[in-house]
Amino acid sequence: MPGLGAARRFALLAVLSARIARAADPELFLPVVLDVLGEGGAHYTTELTVSSRAAAATTVRFQYTASAGGGSGEASVVLLPGETRVIADAIEFLRGQGLQIPADGTRIGTLRAVFSGGAAAADVFLGGRTSTPGAGGTFGLFYTGAVTSTTTATIPGLQQGPAIRSNVAVVNAGPDPIGVRVQIQGSTALLDVAIFDLTLPGWGWTQLNQPLAGLATSGRAIVTRTSGASPFSAYGVLNDAVTSDGSFVPPLVPGDPAGADRLVPIVLRAAGYQTEVTFTNLTAEVLQFTVTYTGSPQLSVAGTGSRIFFLSPRSQRILDAMALLSLLGLPIPAEGNVGGSLLVKFDPGTPSGAIAVGARTYTTARDGGTFGLFYPGLTSGECATDRAFVNGLQQNATQRSNVAVVNRGDAGDPVALRVTYHGADGAPLPDPDAVTLSPGEWRQFNQPLASRGAAGGYATVERLSGSSRWAAYGVLNDQHNSDGSYIPMSR
């Protein structure tokens, strides 16, 4: 820029940089979409939810990369301002857009979505629900855009036995080939029980089916990138041995500076449902932590209290939540509905990578087996301060939705929240819900779209007062068998 003074050049560069930043189209990467036959003939397909809260129309360009079945290619949709769209069958949709995906056989791939038209990264959402028919409805799991890493990712909470089985999937979240090593460890993790060295092409997906089989009944997977430059992601799936219902287990990746404390939004024994909690010590030292249970007035405040718990080095324990709290000496009622949040606190300075905490809430199926959903314990950095969104809500003949909120209580004060619901066109629906939560308090709003006449949409959760962090999430329940899928909030 000859002839310009230093200050002028700096100002022009700042303007150009801002324009480039605005021009960058946000991207989301869904780790898998599929149409396959699984164990026992279960037929799995993937439903897509895609949305944009932008004030202008948004073009979503999909890049499908087949890992099985072929048919890689591109497709697109145009979303109206604020629109949420549910695509019932991802593979069928892509084929209808001209991709040469076979009509039968195993069809699996990854889906990269690029949002253009001025949408900001905070305005867009992409989710998938993979399910199989069962008990008059469907059993399934929900997942959002992949959390990626360039170093390692840990999948805790794996199980293998007569009642439940686990798979581990690894995906390449970039265009260049990568090599990864998957170390499978048992519940004591003194030694690896299996090691897999894998190579993934750009945007590739692969799955290790039941890697704990014959080796351990409980464990974890540690995935390490060994070559290549692309980021990667990984996840686990817990499948019931009878119903084939799946629960999505997200990865724990390094880099969260928030510390080890975890908030499990809800553990319960109510209306035929119960919660099991998973604690995984990822260190070579004994971990001591405080478990604080806060009963919800919506269920029962009975049993509220705190106790100390110890976890052996590199060990994993999967326990019934209410039985554990009773064993620790909290006065949990032996009968009736009971439930609330669980805050797991460590000594200051304990890093987030020292521990993994998660929960699976489930119920028994009429013809045997179980169905339910898994959700991770949240660090303080994963909780909200001012505003959050719960996307992908549905209310129709096949699905219904609930929205829940919980006060983390880290500032020791109540928080007042307002929950505004939006229809599939993005327009706000009448009568927002308002609630004031004491520290640790959990509250659920059941089927909020039904009373407002909407078949789909999302919720905006805003803090009105208070200083404590909080969390929100959604649950999709099948209308016929009540199987649930967990939808994490986005911010």
Side-chain angles (χ1 to χ4, degrees):
M1 300 179 187
L4 293 177
R8 180 89 180 276
R9 288 198 301 272
F10 180 82
L12 286 174
L13 287 171
V15 170
L16 288 172
S17 297
R19 287 178 177 173
I20 291 171
R22 285 198 300 271
D25 293 331
E27 298 184 12
L28 293 171
F29 179 64
L30 204 63
V32 67
V33 296
L34 52 78
D35 186 337
V36 302
L37 290 179
E39 292 260 342
H43 183 197
Y44 293 94
T45 57
T46 302
E47 173 187 272
L48 293 179
T49 298
V50 58
S51 65
S52 170
R53 290 185 295 276
T58 302
T59 298
V60 187
R61 304 191 308 276
F62 294 112
Q63 172 191 307
Y64 173 72
T65 303
S67 292
S72 298
E74 295 189 356
S76 65
V77 297
V78 177
L79 299 177
L80 298 177
E83 182 184 0
T84 295
R85 186 175 304 182
V86 177
I87 299 171
D89 188 322
I91 296 297
E92 182 178 302
F93 160 76
L94 294 168
R95 189 186 302 112
Q97 291 266 311
L99 277 67
Q100 299 301 304
I101 302 174
D104 52 22
T106 297
R107 291 143 293 173
I108 305 173
T110 61
L111 196 67
R112 175 175 173 247
V114 181
F115 297 77
S116 60
D123 291 332
V124 298
F125 176 80
L126 180 65
R129 181 176 181 266
T130 292
S131 63
T132 185
T138 59
F139 297 114
L141 53 90
F142 194 95
Y143 45 96
T144 60
V147 175
T148 63
S149 174
T150 57
T151 53
T152 64
T154 300
I155 313 300
L158 303 179
Q159 300 183 50
Q160 189 72 36
I164 201 161
R165 62 182 184 271
S166 298
N167 302 327
V168 172
V170 185
V171 290
N172 184 345
D176 301 317
I178 59 171
V180 296
R181 168 164 286 192
V182 184
Q183 299 164 262
I184 304 297
Q185 300 178 342
S187 58
T188 56
L190 297 177
L191 295 171
D192 297 333
V193 297
I195 295 177
F196 301 89
D197 288 305
L198 309 171
T199 300
L200 281 78
W203 311 108
W205 172 97
T206 191
Q207 181 167 282
L208 301 174
N209 294 320
Q210 304 186 55
L212 286 177
L215 301 171
T217 58
S218 171
R220 77 212 66 145
I222 298 176
V223 185
T224 305
R225 191 181 70 181
T226 55
S227 65
S230 289
F232 73 94
S233 190
Y235 62 89
V237 176
L238 298 173
N239 283 112
D240 186 272
V242 177
T243 64
S244 294
D245 174 50
S247 293
F248 184 84
V249 183
L252 179 67
V253 300
D256 188 336
D261 294 356
R262 296 294 203 279
L263 171 67
V264 179
I266 184 68
V267 296
L268 55 78
R269 186 194 66 233
Y273 287 86
Q274 63 191 85
T275 303
E276 64 181 22
V277 289
T278 300
F279 300 102
T280 307
N281 182 351
L282 300 170
T283 77
E285 308 293 333
V286 174
L287 282 180
Q288 174 183 314
F289 48 91
T290 301
V291 175
T292 298
Y293 170 73
T294 304
S296 167
Q298 196 170 14
L299 293 170
S300 170
V301 298
T304 295
S306 298
R307 292 292 187 272
I308 301 295
F309 191 67
F310 295 88
L311 201 58
S312 301
R314 302 193 187 282
S315 66
Q316 177 168 285
R317 298 192 67 182
I318 300 173
L319 304 160
D320 179 89
M322 292 303 155
L324 169 64
L325 295 174
S326 295
L327 184 65
L328 292 176
L330 294 180
I332 303 296
E335 297 180 352
N337 292 342
V338 61
S341 70
L342 201 66
L343 184 62
V344 182
K345 289 187 66 67
F346 294 81
D347 290 338
T350 305
S352 62
I355 188 77
V357 181
R360 178 175 176 260
T361 292
Y362 63 93
T363 189
T364 302
R366 181 178 56 198
D367 297 324
T370 64
F371 49 85
L373 63 160
F374 183 94
Y375 40 100
L378 304 172
T379 68
S380 61
E382 293 170 324
C383 291
T385 55
D386 298 313
R387 186 177 67 171
F389 303 95
V390 179
N391 296 282
L393 304 179
Q394 296 186 47
Q395 190 73 39
N396 50 49
T398 60
Q399 295 288 320
R400 63 180 186 270
S401 298
N402 303 326
V403 172
V405 291
V406 60
N407 179 359
R408 187 182 184 93
D410 51 308
D413 63 342
V415 293
L417 302 175
R418 178 175 60 216
V419 185
T420 304
Y421 305 97
H422 304 257
D425 61 356
L429 300 173
D431 303 321
D433 282 316
V435 63
T436 298
L437 303 172
S438 300
E441 184 177 346
W442 171 92
R443 179 75 63 88
Q444 179 167 281
F445 304 104
N446 295 319
Q447 304 188 57
L449 295 185
S451 61
R452 294 167 175 85
Y458 67 94
T460 302
V461 187
E462 300 168 282
R463 183 171 66 185
L464 303 178
S465 65
S467 300
S468 289
R469 294 175 183 265
W470 47 273
Y473 64 92
V475 176
L476 282 177
N477 284 111
D478 187 275
Q479 290 279 29
H480 301 285
N481 59 36
S482 295
D483 175 51
S485 297
Y486 172 79
I487 306 176
M489 69 179 182
S490 56
R491 291 177 289 165

